[in-house]
Amino acid sequence: MVARGWREGLYARDMTDTDCLFCRIVAGEIPGDTVAETDTVLAFRDVSPKAPVHVLVIPKTHSPNVATLAASQPALLAEMAAVAQGVADAECGGEFRWIFNTGATAGQSVFHVHGHVIGGQDLGWSPA
């Protein structure tokens, strides 16, 4: 069940594309350490890595969270998954964890959907 207001963006901050850090990286206004790119997806290294491999995979178009993207553009989410797998294949033997934080209390700090590709070490579980 979808929480009331989810699709209306009530869980995202009021943010235009020009206010969004990741939209500015896509536009080339802010540098990013690009790892992979397609016409619609960008992958770049996290500036505060939590593992030897920590890459963010984002759509080039703004969407506030993974649930919204899955509902509105499932093919784009599938392309993000393919890019995440390609990054993991190239950087950590194909084994990785793909984490999405949705909402501030879940740890989302940039309200542009992004999946964290985490790998390069034994990850365990605690809870991320």
Side-chain angles (χ1 to χ4, degrees), residues 16-69:
T16 65
D17 290 359
T18 58
D19 295 330
C20 173
L21 173 66
F22 291 168
C23 288
R24 294 182 67 201
I25 290 171
V26 169
E29 297 172 11
I30 296 174
D33 185 0
T34 299
V35 174
E37 184 171 10
T38 70
D39 289 342
T40 58
V41 174
L42 181 66
F44 54 92
R45 297 196 190 285
D46 194 297
V47 296
S48 182
K50 307 301 182 208
V53 175
H54 190 164
V55 174
L56 303 180
V57 179
I58 68 168
K60 289 184 176 180
T61 57
H62 188 86
S63 185
N65 60 60
V66 69
T68 301
L69 184 65

Side-chain angles (χ1 to χ4, degrees), residues 88-108:
D89 289 345
E91 301 217 2
C92 51
E95 297 183 1
F96 67 106
R97 183 170 295 155
W98 199 25
I99 301 170
F100 289 88
N101 299 319
T102 300
T105 60
Q108 186 177 9

